[in-house]
Amino acid sequence: MKSSSISKEHPLFRFLHYVKNYRSQVWTAASFTILNTIFDLAPAYLIGVVIDIVAEQENSIIAQFGITNTIGQLAILSLLTLLIWTLESLSEFIYDRLWRNLAQTMEHELRLDAYSHLQELELSYFEERSTGTFLSILNDDINQLERFLDSGAASILRFITTVLFVGGSFVIIAPNVAWLAILPTPFIFWGSLAFQKRLAPLYTDVRDKAGFINSRLANNLSGIATIKSFTAETYERERVLVESEAYRWSNGHAIALSAAFYPAIRFVVVTGFIATLFFGGVAVANNQLTVGTYGFMVFIVQRLLWPFASLSQIMDQYQRAIASINRVMGLLDTPITIPTGNGSLLAVRGEVHLDNITFAYNGRTNVLKNLSLHIPPGANIGIVGATGSGKSTLVKLLLRFYEIQGGQILVDNIDIRELQLGELRRCIGWVSQDVFLFHGTVAENIAYGSFDATESEIIHAAKLAEAHEFILQLPQGYDTIVGERGQKLSGGQRQRIAIARAILKDPAILILDEATSAVDNETEAAIQRSLDKITVNRTTIAIAHRLSTIRHSHCIYVMAHGQIVEQGKHEDLIELNGIYTSLWNVQSGYVPTHTFEDNLLFGD
């Protein structure tokens, strides 16, 4: 359900596209809802018949079928009442279950579709929005739709059925009095439409405010350690208070309008009831109406008019649902700017060629400018440079997290835009500087992406990443829960697990983006020994500030201002006495004679 061909339709009709595969269930639920409403209205008709039996006796409606005895007529009526109540209870059970199951199914499908679509959007989309906003849509808004389907759809059908059935009965039984009961309905309809028009923007604002407070809470909970370390609890509480107060104020406006609707409609409804009571009584006195019919009308007129009063609740549910549908459909309508290709890689050699590429983040100057780089299959290269020189951006473009604005990137002489995204990313193992571990066990995090890996394979990958020993010292070893984002582990431990995860994937191209930045020198040396083994016959791109990590690379590229300014082996670059030499001198403890500006180039 990601097609934009229906994006201009009303949100409610957009949502109905999700229901089309469940037409039989919808029709069955709707049919039993209508039947239940009719059965629910039947007692009012039976009251009229009872009055008719008592008042007319041998001349009653039932007497016309040959049963003239009053006791017999009441017995028949009692059995009929029992049957109707039984059918009413059974039909309510059926329609209630059908609507609720349908609501759960739609909630499930919408959430999966919205989440699946969200996963296909480019990284820049996430960088410009908060996690709380997405959580608000995937949870609050979709739950609101579930609540509307759970009860709102049945309420609308019951309202329509009641108005048509009771109104039709009035016209048939007492056409001269029926118009008195129906007279208020145009005013109620007009009031309902006016109410809906004014309520719609209020509930849109409510949903937006809910997204803001969710964003604030999600952000604060993620940064709770920082909040505590800077003793900013009071400050953050005040900020949550402001967002929560804005949500309460927005909701208060909607509630005030919604609450005012019911008393206003109630006043209009009572005029129809009084008119029926008075003029119907006059008709009985003039022998224009039977007592039984009059009793039925006085009782049933409330069933005709009071559903209009419930329009306030129905409209309230409807507007909340529409506001949520707008947000969910807005997410589903977000275009995918990095579409997958159709090509595949059968036997990946790992050759990478960046041909004259140019890239800039939204609204910024170029990060990479006409950069070209060729990496032969199986080569082990290093990339260094100042913060902001474009090192990490380069590998994110290789993974197609972003789309280049100029040039092309080739893997095994195939433009990566022609490849299926899954095919491209499966052949690349990426260990980022900002390691992310999922809440779960150590073993589950190592096997992430290689879900069919055996226990022995997981242990072997951990040993290569120099993680096996510290894992065994954890309380439950490989079954230890790492906590959200791996918070129960140290930075170095998280990084070694991330390296093990990439090793287990066994990619043709391995990217190490500051992969040893959070480990001590001893662990770095151990990891380097492992990397010497796992990088054999594998294209390796290592981005590093610590030059010891990439010292033995086949070729080292120095980047500055989005371009490659130096390249060669470690010894060759040292002899150049340029930028790389300056950086090496600083890290090796040698006091350089270069200018202050040269040293600033490498500051973080």
Side-chain angles (χ1 to χ4, degrees), residues 210-283:
F212 295 153
I213 192 170
N214 277 339
S215 298
R216 174 66 60 198
L217 292 172
N219 188 64
N220 285 9
L221 291 175
S222 297
I224 193 67
T226 302
I227 292 173
K228 287 179 176 295
S229 67
F230 284 91
T231 61
E233 291 91 343
T234 302
Y235 172 74
E236 291 299 340
R237 181 187 180 280
E238 291 300 315
R239 294 215 290 178
V240 170
L241 185 148
V242 170
E243 297 287 1
S244 185
E245 185 65 28
Y247 175 70
R248 186 177 72 159
W249 184 86
S250 179
N251 232 329
H253 272 60
I255 291 171
L257 180 59
S258 177
F261 181 77
Y262 185 83
I265 295 301
R266 185 186 182 96
F267 182 78
V268 177
V269 166
V270 78
T271 60
F273 175 75
I274 292 173
T276 304
L277 182 70
F278 179 79
F279 291 104
V282 172

Side-chain angles (χ1 to χ4, degrees), residues 45-196:
Y45 292 83
L46 295 177
I47 289 173
V49 175
V50 168
I51 295 173
D52 190 52
I53 291 173
V54 174
E56 303 292 336
Q57 296 184 6
E58 292 86 0
N59 298 320
S60 68
I61 296 175
I62 296 182
Q64 297 176 12
F65 293 94
I67 304 174
T68 57
N69 183 274
T70 303
I71 301 299
Q73 293 180 41
L74 291 174
I76 293 296
L77 194 62
S78 298
L79 291 174
L80 185 60
T81 301
L82 178 62
L83 176 62
I84 289 174
W85 277 77
T86 303
L87 293 174
E88 192 273 338
S89 299
L90 180 61
S91 60
E92 182 176 4
F93 167 76
I94 295 174
Y95 90 71
D96 190 46
R97 184 176 180 181
L98 287 172
W99 281 123
R100 290 192 177 192
N101 285 338
L102 180 64
Q104 293 296 321
T105 301
M106 293 300 99
E107 178 187 30
H108 169 73
E109 290 199 0
L110 263 179
R111 182 175 285 119
L112 280 183
D113 276 359
Y115 176 72
S116 298
H117 186 76
L118 195 62
Q119 286 192 131
E120 296 184 28
L121 299 176
E122 70 282 3
L123 277 185
S124 60
Y125 183 81
F126 295 89
E127 294 168 351
E128 295 167 1
R129 294 160 181 84
S130 68
T131 303
T133 299
F134 299 132
L135 291 176
S136 178
I137 294 173
L138 293 174
N139 287 319
D140 296 347
D141 288 317
I142 291 179
N143 288 342
Q144 185 65 51
L145 295 179
E146 183 267 336
R147 286 190 290 271
F148 176 72
L149 265 182
D150 194 14
S151 59
S155 297
I156 291 174
L157 282 173
R158 288 177 65 85
F159 168 76
I160 295 172
T161 303
T162 299
V163 172
L164 293 178
F165 198 81
V166 176
S169 299
F170 265 42
V171 172
I172 294 171
I173 295 173
N176 294 333
V177 184
W179 67 272
L180 295 170
I182 299 174
L183 184 62
T185 56
F187 300 98
I188 298 174
F189 269 119
W190 175 82
S192 300
L193 292 175
F195 166 78
Q196 176 186 343

Side-chain angles (χ1 to χ4, degrees), residues 406-423:
Q408 62 178 170
I409 301 176
L410 307 174
V411 171
D412 290 353
N413 295 318
I414 302 175
D415 192 318
I416 61 174
R417 287 170 292 196
E418 299 176 4
L419 295 171
Q420 297 177 27
L421 283 173
E423 288 281 325

Side-chain angles (χ1 to χ4, degrees), residues 470-528:
F470 89 76
I471 292 174
L472 292 180
Q473 295 174 4
L474 295 174
Q476 285 81 40
Y478 282 85
D479 293 325
T480 301
I481 300 295
V482 302
E484 188 174 357
R485 299 183 66 91
Q487 60 186 352
K488 292 185 178 181
L489 304 178
S490 69
Q493 290 172 334
R494 290 196 297 268
Q495 211 147 28
R496 279 179 278 176
I497 288 177
I499 293 172
R501 182 164 60 193
I503 293 171
L504 185 60
K505 187 178 181 181
D506 193 25
I509 302 171
L510 179 63
I511 298 174
L512 305 171
D513 189 356
E514 298 289 351
T516 59
S517 62
V519 299
D520 53 43
N521 291 332
E522 182 179 352
T523 303
E524 181 191 9
I527 291 176
Q528 189 60 54

Side-chain angles (χ1 to χ4, degrees), residues 582-602:
S582 177
L583 181 58
W584 177 256
N585 288 337
V586 169
Q587 293 194 11
S588 61
Y590 174 75
V591 179
T593 58
H594 294 286
T595 65
F596 178 70
E597 289 78 8
D598 287 335
N599 291 335
L600 278 181
L601 179 64
F602 303 100

